[in-house]
Amino acid sequence: MHLIFYIISPFLTFLYSCFDLRKRTAQIVFVLFFGLFGYCHTFEDSRADSFRKYESFSNYAALEYGDIYDNFRAGEEKDIYEDLLFSTLKLFTDNPHIMMMVVGLVAGIFYMLVVKRFLEDRVMEYTWPIAILVIMFIFNLNFPQLGGIRSFTAFPIFTYSLIRLIFDGKRTAIIGILIAPLIHFGYILAAIVAIVAWLLRIPSALMHYIAIFTCFASIFLDTSSYAGALDFVLGSVGNEAIESRIVNYGSAETDMAFNMSLTTRLIRLNNQISAIFLIALMVYLRRNWSQLHTSPYTSKLYNVLLLFIIVSYALISYSVVGQRFVYIAMVLLYMFMLNLYQENRNATVKTFIYMMPIVCSLHIMWNIYNCYCNTGLDIYYQPLPILMLKYLH
């Protein structure tokens, strides 16, 4: 039935599937909608990543796979995924809508696996707190960033592999951890953190206080705060393309240009509000941990969450790209809160969950607005056949 209703109303069927991913047809609908969302991009918003990718793909000259690898080894490219994707698709089509559809389908498979794995932790019937966590989890997928092809694809592959490696004990998931930096070079750091979390057990009490301090410090940091660290990083990367991008993002001119954007200012305000929320949550947990019921699984979730809070909020103020690591921490936060709530259905835990949509309200509105900017309104009410005919040329 999911597939029949998907033809009539793709968006509404997708929303329903998000709560029903134990069924195979719901999983298919979930992935198909990601592909449809990519396909329906209008490329009219010149500030969007998708506009740049539209121009890049339209003017792209396909490369041999061996040349792509050689360019990467020579330090001329930061990673290889986008070149592999564009060069492959150029054999079949010049239509940027098809290109974006493929991006959505490939990434959508792994986003579906991440959400499905999150829902596997649900052991009780849906209540308002659980429904809120599921909705917040979906918003954390950041549909509008599909145009940032590399980051949009690396994020679910890395996140799913992280969960399977650390919490499910699937050692083969290390492959996904190591592949993510080849899709987007920024995940080199995330991969190192994941391996540390897998191999080492850092005392939770120490991480707890460091995480609180890091969240507090992030409220006051800006890009200029990272000047000394950038010099150290640039001396150890060994890839000219990556070094050039790091220098570009760390420059005062780039930071000034981004700060002129209302979107950037709103995102940073939301990051500051979320830091305050996390400080309050961590203080509550520290004071009441001995009274709370927590399984070994939930405790492990919290330990890994603390590590990623430290890393992500230490970087959150670095230019416009620093907050990409926060999305990983948020996945762990929602998983932790789901399990904490199921083990402790007290008023305080519920209150923290009810506060989440308020704390993230700017991020939610940003997502909704940018979805509209990328696709317009048609995808949200028109049937599938009409949507598919719209850009089929």
Side-chain angles (χ1 to χ4, degrees):
M1 293 299 291
H2 286 89
L3 295 176
I4 295 175
F5 284 118
Y6 181 75
I7 296 173
I8 300 170
S9 178
F11 178 62
L12 292 179
T13 311
F14 164 74
L15 290 180
Y16 181 78
S17 74
C18 292
F19 292 85
D20 198 28
L21 282 179
R22 293 175 182 175
K23 295 181 180 178
R24 181 59 59 86
T25 52
Q27 297 170 17
I28 294 173
V29 164
F30 189 100
V31 175
L32 288 178
F33 186 78
F34 268 73
L36 183 65
F37 186 82
Y39 180 79
C40 289
H41 270 57
T42 62
F43 307 115
E44 294 176 356
D45 185 2
S46 60
R47 67 186 176 86
D49 287 336
S50 57
F51 181 81
R52 293 188 296 103
K53 300 305 180 182
Y54 155 74
E55 291 189 324
S56 178
F57 183 72
S58 299
N59 301 309
Y60 188 81
L63 299 171
E64 296 291 335
Y65 295 151
D67 293 336
I68 295 173
Y69 177 69
D70 289 341
N71 291 341
F72 174 68
R73 285 195 62 189
E76 297 175 8
E77 296 293 339
K78 303 177 292 299
D79 33 54
I80 62 174
Y81 175 69
E82 189 171 303
D83 278 325
L84 289 173
L85 177 70
F86 282 10
S87 293
T88 302
L89 290 178
K90 275 291 184 174
L91 299 173
F92 308 100
T93 183
D94 291 318
N95 189 337
H97 297 281
I98 300 296
M99 179 271 291
M100 293 293 284
M101 180 182 72
V102 173
V103 172
L105 289 173
V106 172
I109 293 171
F110 292 95
Y111 278 105
M112 180 274 294
L113 291 173
V114 172
V115 179
K116 179 175 176 288
R117 176 60 183 80
F118 169 69
L119 292 174
E120 286 174 359
D121 280 359
R122 181 178 67 87
V123 296
M124 54 186 291
E125 295 299 319
Y126 277 109
T127 60
W128 278 112
I130 292 179
I132 288 172
L133 288 171
V134 173
I135 293 170
M136 295 299 299
F137 197 92
I138 300 302
F139 269 108
N140 195 57
L141 302 184
N142 285 313
F143 269 92
Q145 295 189 12
L146 190 149
I149 295 170
R150 295 151 49 243
S151 180
F152 188 79
T153 305
F155 170 62
I157 291 176
F158 174 85
T159 304
Y160 182 67
S161 301
L162 173 73
I163 295 170
R164 295 290 283 167
L165 176 67
I166 295 181
F167 303 113
D168 298 341
K170 301 294 184 181
R171 295 192 175 188
T172 54
I174 191 67
I175 297 173
I177 298 289
L178 299 177
I179 285 176
L182 297 176
I183 300 173
H184 191 292
F185 74 93
Y187 281 81
I188 295 173
L189 176 60
I192 294 172
V193 176
I195 293 172
V196 169
W198 178 41
L199 297 177
L200 302 178
R201 180 175 176 82
I202 304 172
S204 58
L206 174 63
M207 287 198 298
H208 188 95
Y209 291 113
I210 296 175
I212 291 176
F213 172 78
T214 304
C215 286
F216 180 76
S218 72
I219 299 173
F220 307 100
L221 295 175
D222 57 26
T223 303
S224 63
S225 307
Y226 300 85
L230 290 181
D231 293 336
F232 172 77
V233 172
L234 292 174
S236 57
V237 171
N239 182 297
E240 291 183 8
I242 294 177
E243 291 176 355
S244 176
R245 182 58 61 92
I246 293 173
V247 169
N248 179 51
Y249 278 127
S251 70
E253 294 79 8
T254 300
D255 194 46
M256 185 179 300
F258 280 127
N259 283 329
M260 292 175 64
S261 167
L262 176 61
T263 297
T264 301
R265 294 198 296 269
L266 290 176
I267 289 175
R268 287 186 175 173
L269 175 60
N270 197 108
N271 290 338
Q272 292 168 338
I273 295 172
S274 68
I276 295 171
F277 170 80
L278 284 174
I279 291 172
L281 175 63
M282 289 186 288
V283 168
Y284 164 76
L285 292 171
R286 186 62 185 170
R287 289 182 174 179
N288 297 275
W289 191 260
S290 60
Q291 286 78 44
L292 293 170
H293 300 286
T294 52
S295 65
Y297 172 70
T298 304
S299 297
K300 189 173 185 178
L301 267 172
Y302 188 55
N303 286 342
V304 179
L305 168 62
L306 287 174
L307 178 59
F308 273 90
I309 286 177
I310 292 169
V311 174
S312 60
Y313 277 82
L315 297 172
I316 197 171
S317 301
Y318 174 61
S319 191
V320 74
V321 299
Q323 72 257 11
R324 69 163 50 105
F325 299 105
V326 175
Y327 300 134
I328 303 170
M330 290 300 103
V331 166
L332 297 173
L333 174 65
Y334 298 135
M335 289 182 66
F336 169 71
M337 292 302 294
L338 172 63
N339 286 276
L340 183 69
Y341 166 72
Q342 291 181 141
E343 295 166 354
N344 303 271
R345 299 180 63 182
N346 62 54
T348 307
V349 173
K350 289 181 182 179
T351 299
F352 275 111
I353 294 174
Y354 289 142
M355 287 174 61
M356 285 182 166
I358 301 172
V359 170
C360 298
S361 57
L362 291 175
H363 176 67
I364 292 171
M365 289 187 289
W366 178 86
N367 263 342
I368 294 173
Y369 173 70
N370 282 284
C371 282
Y372 164 74
C373 291
N374 281 323
T375 64
L377 294 175
D378 291 353
I379 190 175
Y380 305 105
Y381 70 90
Q382 288 188 354
L384 180 64
I386 294 177
L387 292 170
M388 291 303 298
L389 289 172
K390 188 172 182 179
Y391 300 113
L392 194 60
H393 56 75

